[in-house]
Amino acid sequence: MAKSDPIPELSQVPVHVGVIMDGNGRWAKKRGLPRKLGHKEGVKVFRSITRRAKTLGIKYITFYAFSTENWKRPKDEVDAIMDLFEKNLDEVKDFIDEEIRVRFIGDRSALSPTLQAKMLNTEKSSEHFTGTTMILAINYGGQDEICRAVKKICESGTSTDEITPQLIEQNLDAPDIPPLDYVIRPSGEMRLSNFMIWQAAYAEYYFTDILWPDFTDADFDEAIIEFSNRARRFGGVK
Ligand code: IPE
Ligand code: IPE
Ligand code: MG
């Protein structure tokens, strides 16, 4: 199958896919390289999978890039990851040429002013695209996002009987983006690690042992084909 071909046999395509990009460190370690080179390699895969998602007609794809818990890592690793974000936001121009809308979720206030400015800029230059939206989760934690939503609700003076799941959803970081249909996690770990815990309430899950830097477009296609065979009931009867 050529890289640009859609998969022909799909009966359903997920509207919103979440990807927990994991295994960069182990990939580097296996090769005797510093962990930061694993992250660098992981960025290449992220770029390729974003394009593949667009080809497959996936409307929303969210990548977990840095969690609220990842600050616990050694400073040089955190600095290297932040550098990669800055560099790649300069290179995101080709996504914009390809009409991919870019959004961010997470608490931006802890990020450098330069990075925050680049994030805003990227969102602005791509906000008019209507095809595929790529969402990057940076300094993101599901618990933190829900907490921040609850704070906003309290500050607005809402009375307790007005509190509904819909109201909480409206106060999350990207209220216009639909919930996750599918969560893909490479690297063999079978957990969410605080990724979109609200939005993943009815998601399907796909775990694979492949480390993120080794994850190919064909591996992504395989995951998407697997999704098309899942029967979803949302608590009902089918
Ligand atoms: C995922 O790869 C990238 C981030 C969490 C930033 P890891 O760095 O967690 O790789 P492993 O899990 O140590 O192999
Ligand atoms: C999850 O990976 C966070 C990201 C991929 C950004 P981690 O490597 O941080 O997760 P744990 O620590 O194994 O749960
Ligand atoms: Mg990890």
Side-chain angles (χ1 to χ4, degrees), residues 139-151:
N139 191 24
Y140 177 87
Q143 292 175 342
D144 178 65
E145 182 188 32
I146 295 167
C147 249
R148 287 186 287 105
V150 170
K151 276 187 195 156

Side-chain angles (χ1 to χ4, degrees), residues 19-23 26 35 63-70 73 137 140 185 187 189 191-195:
V19 182
I20 302 175
M21 302 188 283
D22 197 15
R26 277 163 283 173
R35 293 177 58 87
F63 292 93
Y64 201 10
F66 192 85
S67 76
T68 46
E69 288 70 38
N70 287 147
R73 296 185 178 205
Y140 177 87
R185 182 167 190 158
S187 94
E189 311 299 351
R191 53 178 173 259
L192 274 179
S193 302
N194 206 6
F195 178 62

Side-chain angles (χ1 to χ4, degrees), residues 105-198:
I105 54 171
D107 180 1
R108 301 179 193 202
S109 64
L111 306 175
S112 80
T114 321
L115 183 54
Q116 288 186 46
K118 285 184 184 184
M119 288 160 77
L120 257 186
N121 224 353
T122 308
E123 284 179 321
K124 281 237 165 324
S125 13
S126 65
E127 67 187 0
H128 52 291
F129 298 139
T130 55
T132 294
T133 300
M134 187 281 290
I135 303 120
L136 255 188
I138 301 182
N139 191 24
Y140 177 87
Q143 292 175 342
D144 178 65
E145 182 188 32
I146 295 167
C147 249
R148 287 186 287 105
V150 170
K151 276 187 195 156
K152 278 186 245 168
I153 294 168
C154 290
E155 279 163 9
S156 71
T158 310
S159 69
T160 50
D161 52 343
E162 287 175 273
I163 294 179
T164 58
Q166 290 73 23
L167 184 70
I168 294 176
E169 256 160 36
Q170 283 159 15
N171 285 278
L172 295 176
D173 289 349
D176 53 319
I177 291 172
L180 285 168
D181 296 301
Y182 205 29
V183 175
I184 299 173
R185 182 167 190 158
S187 94
E189 311 299 351
M190 295 192 208
R191 53 178 173 259
L192 274 179
S193 302
N194 206 6
F195 178 62
M196 298 187 98
I197 50 177
W198 180 284

Side-chain angles (χ1 to χ4, degrees), residues 5-16:
D5 289 347
I7 305 175
E9 69 268 34
L10 293 184
S11 56
Q12 54 171 355
V13 173
V15 175
H16 187 178

Side-chain angles (χ1 to χ4, degrees), residues 20-75:
I20 302 175
M21 302 188 283
D22 197 15
N24 295 349
R26 277 163 283 173
W27 181 91
K29 194 172 176 207
K30 261 175 50 185
R31 287 162 179 77
L33 299 169
R35 293 177 58 87
K36 64 179 178 191
L37 287 187
H39 298 310
K40 198 172 167 203
E41 202 60 28
V43 172
K44 293 185 196 160
V45 175
F46 147 77
R47 299 177 79 83
S48 183
I49 299 300
T50 301
R51 296 199 164 93
R52 188 64 191 153
K54 186 184 174 210
T55 304
L56 299 184
I58 292 165
K59 285 280 288 177
Y60 301 93
I61 183 156
T62 300
F63 292 93
Y64 201 10
F66 192 85
S67 76
T68 46
E69 288 70 38
N70 287 147
W71 298 105
K72 291 179 197 156
R73 296 185 178 205
K75 187 176 179 302

